[in-house]
Amino acid sequence: MIRKGRNAWTVGLIMVLLGAWGVAPMYAAEVVQLTFMHAFNHIGPDVQQEIVDEFNRRNPNIHVTIEPIPSQTARESLITRAAGGVAPDIISMDVYDSGALASARPSMLLDLTKWVETDLEDPNDMPPAAYDATRVDDAIYALPQRISSYIQLYNRAMFEEAGLPMAPHDWYDASWNWNAVGEAARRLTRDTSGDGITDIYGWESSFPTRLPPFVFQAGGNYFDAEYENFILDQKEGLQAIEFFRGLFEQESIGRQSGAFLSGTAAMWTVMGTQAELAEQNGLEWDIAPLPQGPAGPAGKFTIIAVGIPAATRHPAEAWEFLKYYMSREVKSREIKGGIFPQPRRSVTADLENYAPYFTREHINVFLQALEVGRPYQTLHPHAREIWSVMNQALNSVFRLEVAPEIALAEIKPTVEQLLAQR
């Protein structure tokens, strides 16, 4: 009895001392289970799982499980799960879903601002625009896993054959402007067989989907700063639309998908990751910035946003994972896995993170894209529907079916009615 009492006293003393020293016995620790609902896990799935596995190894009291979901379903999935009391703890989503969830009142995502300012590794390593993509009323509601920014991919052999100078690798080089690119597109467009049908196009069509940066380059926008009025019909927006409509009229832009990769188009406005396809197709390719417009250089990017649902039962642990997910270490792992450009400048700037066919000049184009890039407006519950209405109208303009002024006048009441429905 005495020995048993002493043993119990000894165990109790050890427990007290361990608690005082901040050490918890392994058998007493509770493992917090977190669900990472990932709408983009199909992009580098092995890399994503490696990241989660490493976090779990380093944090034995937290265990993260990836739950893949189809793209563009994050918003509906979160609303349903939260209503049922089983909300995920971390969620990745496209820019439309993140914008709708962040701008809802009350927001369905946690305000991360204080954590970002006080606990995130070097928050200034990311450009302000990366935060602006999900910033509502000065509060940050999600962080970018990666950034989708547009560059100009072009065929060097076709430029050389046409006697055109190679494009610069500098967004601030004013010689690479709308006039120069328009002229290049016209000279590169050819009927090689002599049958009166164009065989080679100067530019593969990515429009109107990739029109926003050119609207910015003209000094215009789609909406006003208050996100209440549709302003694409003002002179700056019309100038950008007319620039491309003119190239479509001259058949300098080919409408067939895959024209650049098949060697029947000389330029393509795409994301930097598409360079891998050009390399695989054996093209003599290069990367250039988007051309400057009347208002100077400007780019556009979207983000794959990662946030913490407001309905999570484990906000502190979810932040621990999101903080790790946004670290330089993880961003370097992602970019080496082909997920780029990354929002962290230091990671994007490191040539060692890229495939060997990328050069320092290419990396500079990616870096400057972060400087001049602007997120396009999606912080509205109906953003996806609004952009769909606008792009349908612009498709009819670029098919030369209707004049720009008429097409925009027809959709303006619909767009502004949707804008008013918050």
Side-chain angles (χ1 to χ4, degrees):
M1 292 291 295
I2 294 175
R3 183 174 299 169
K4 182 177 181 180
R6 286 178 177 174
N7 287 342
W9 182 86
T10 302
V11 170
L13 177 60
I14 291 173
M15 293 288 287
V16 170
L17 291 174
L18 287 172
W21 293 333
V23 179
M26 290 300 294
Y27 58 81
E30 179 182 355
V31 178
V32 175
Q33 300 290 336
L34 300 181
T35 299
F36 181 10
M37 196 163 73
H38 204 330
F40 289 88
N41 188 53
H42 60 282
I43 300 174
D46 294 342
V47 174
Q48 296 300 302
Q49 190 59 55
E50 290 169 4
I51 292 167
V52 167
D53 289 344
E54 180 60 20
F55 175 84
N56 291 339
R57 187 188 69 79
R58 298 184 189 185
N59 297 271
N61 292 340
I62 305 174
H63 187 272
V64 177
T65 300
I66 295 177
E67 179 186 323
I69 60 171
S71 301
Q72 301 183 346
T73 64
R75 180 184 179 189
E76 291 76 13
S77 297
L78 176 56
I79 291 172
T80 301
R81 296 274 292 272
V86 287
D89 305 286
I90 308 105
I91 181 171
S92 81
M93 58 216 128
D94 71 16
V95 69
Y96 292 110
D97 285 335
S98 61
L101 293 169
S103 59
R105 286 295 175 261
S107 174
M108 295 200 68
L109 299 175
L110 279 184
D111 179 353
L112 305 176
T113 312
K114 290 299 182 183
W115 274 331
V116 169
E117 293 174 347
T118 62
D119 199 31
L120 184 68
E121 178 187 6
D122 193 3
N124 294 324
D125 195 25
M126 292 190 288
Y131 297 110
D132 292 342
T134 61
R135 191 192 300 272
V136 180
D137 298 331
D138 293 327
I140 300 167
Y141 287 96
L143 296 172
Q145 177 211 359
R146 64 180 174 91
I147 287 176
S148 297
S149 58
Y150 295 151
I151 51 90
Q152 198 80 344
L153 203 60
Y154 73 100
N155 189 311
R156 290 180 61 92
M158 295 174 73
F159 266 61
E160 184 176 359
E161 184 181 353
L164 293 166
M166 299 300 115
H169 295 103
D170 183 359
W171 283 79
Y172 302 99
D173 187 331
S175 69
W176 185 242
N177 54 37
W178 285 10
N179 290 335
V181 174
E183 176 61 20
R186 286 185 284 271
R187 288 175 56 179
L188 289 160
T189 300
R190 291 175 293 152
D191 169 17
T192 58
S193 63
D195 61 0
I197 299 174
T198 300
D199 306 303
I200 305 294
Y201 293 92
W203 206 331
E204 178 178 340
S205 179
S206 306
F207 309 101
T209 304
R210 289 161 187 170
L211 180 66
F214 297 91
V215 174
F216 301 155
Q217 291 161 16
N221 210 325
Y222 288 71
F223 318 103
D224 61 10
E226 290 73 32
Y227 218 154
E228 295 175 352
N229 299 300
F230 178 64
I231 63 170
L232 184 60
D233 57 351
Q234 295 181 359
K235 64 178 183 179
E236 294 85 359
L238 288 172
Q239 188 175 14
I241 294 169
E242 290 288 3
F243 170 70
F244 284 102
R245 190 169 187 270
L247 291 174
F248 276 109
E249 285 180 329
Q250 297 160 13
E251 295 189 350
S252 295
I253 299 182
R255 302 179 187 277
Q256 183 179 359
S257 178
F260 180 83
L261 295 177
S262 67
T264 57
M267 293 185 290
W268 193 19
T269 302
V270 290
M271 295 175 286
T273 49
Q274 303 300 96
E276 179 181 4
L277 299 178
E279 181 73 10
Q280 291 172 354
N281 280 266
L283 298 177
E284 189 178 337
W285 60 272
D286 205 343
I287 287 173
L290 299 186
Q292 289 195 26
K300 166 253 172 183
F301 61 69
T302 58
I303 69 170
I304 301 304
V306 186
I308 300 175
T312 178
R313 291 177 292 177
H314 307 290
E317 290 83 0
W319 169 251
E320 284 302 310
F321 175 75
L322 184 52
K323 179 174 64 173
Y324 172 72
Y325 198 62
M326 293 302 301
S327 67
R328 285 193 186 89
E329 174 190 342
V330 169
K331 298 296 106 179
S332 292
R333 184 190 289 257
E334 286 190 321
I335 205 168
K336 288 174 181 176
I339 304 172
F340 71 90
Q342 285 294 322
R344 287 197 172 276
R345 297 185 183 96
S346 59
V347 173
T348 294
D350 190 350
L351 186 59
E352 296 297 318
N353 288 331
Y354 295 85
Y357 49 77
F358 286 108
T359 68
R360 169 53 58 192
E361 289 76 18
H362 296 152
I363 307 312
N364 288 339
V365 174
F366 296 152
L367 272 174
Q368 288 183 336
L370 296 181
E371 295 176 12
V372 303
R374 294 165 56 181
Y376 72 145
Q377 290 162 301
T378 58
L379 295 173
H380 191 285
H382 298 292
R384 192 189 302 276
E385 184 178 356
I386 291 168
W387 280 93
S388 177
V389 169
M390 294 188 300
N391 284 340
Q392 286 178 23
L394 290 170
N395 265 322
S396 67
V397 171
F398 293 149
R399 287 195 299 264
L400 311 179
E401 297 169 351
V402 61
E405 295 86 350
I406 295 175
L408 299 184
E410 287 177 348
I411 66 169
K412 186 165 187 170
T414 301
V415 171
E416 294 196 336
Q417 184 180 27
L418 289 168
L419 288 170
Q421 298 173 14
R422 289 190 175 271

